[in-house]
Amino acid sequence: MNTKPMLSVNDVQAVLDAARRHAEQNKWPVTIAVADDGGHLLGLVRLDGAAPLSAHIAPAKARSAALGRRESKGFEDIINQGRYAFLSAPLEGMLEGGVPIVHEGHVVGAVGVSGVKSDEDAQIARAGIAALQA
């Protein structure tokens, strides 16, 4: 039988805390979501001032990155390059800001962030993930 690494509740909290610190240092009102490798929500924090819609978009970005095993920006790029049929894929959140969490070559989950510019969302997600490699 195969075994695989997975996120613990402490891992999820570490990611949320680090991502939150990064967002607050930059005064970015965002929602941060962490999902497992199946895209299921494990944790979410909506910072003061974050738009209500961001609480829907952040988990969708995390789910897309987890299930797709790639940054959600990749899906956005595919669509923007004219492959509009990809819009029929069974995913939401195909926008930049979802970043997979990779451990020992396995995608163990993902972080999705929504609320500021897409590249800033991704930056916050990466800051959260970096807490696991520290």
Side-chain angles (χ1 to χ4, degrees):
M1 181 171 295
N2 293 327
T3 59
K4 67 178 185 177
M6 66 175 98
L7 295 171
S8 71
V9 68
N10 291 332
D11 295 332
V12 172
Q13 193 60 55
V15 169
L16 288 172
D17 290 346
R20 179 180 182 164
R21 275 192 304 277
H22 188 79
E24 288 176 339
Q25 287 170 352
N26 289 286
K27 297 181 176 27
W28 291 336
V30 297
T31 296
I32 305 156
V34 179
D36 67 11
D37 63 335
H40 304 97
L41 187 62
L42 296 175
L44 181 136
V45 62
R46 183 174 149 208
L47 302 184
D48 293 344
L53 182 60
S54 67
H56 177 77
I57 296 172
K61 289 180 179 183
R63 185 171 191 270
S64 291
L67 293 175
R69 308 294 197 246
R70 67 170 70 183
E71 290 201 25
S72 55
K73 182 182 186 320
F75 300 120
E76 182 178 11
D77 291 344
I78 288 169
I79 294 162
N80 286 340
Q81 292 168 4
R83 190 167 176 211
Y84 305 117
F86 200 79
L87 288 168
S88 66
L91 294 173
E92 298 177 356
M94 293 188 287
L95 305 164
E96 185 174 6
V99 180
I101 302 170
V102 180
H103 178 72
E104 297 177 355
H106 297 276
V107 173
V108 297
V111 180
V113 179
S114 178
V116 288
K117 294 178 184 174
S118 293
D119 63 318
E120 295 167 345
D121 288 343
Q123 185 184 125
I124 295 165
R126 287 188 200 99
I129 294 166
L132 297 178
Q133 283 111 21

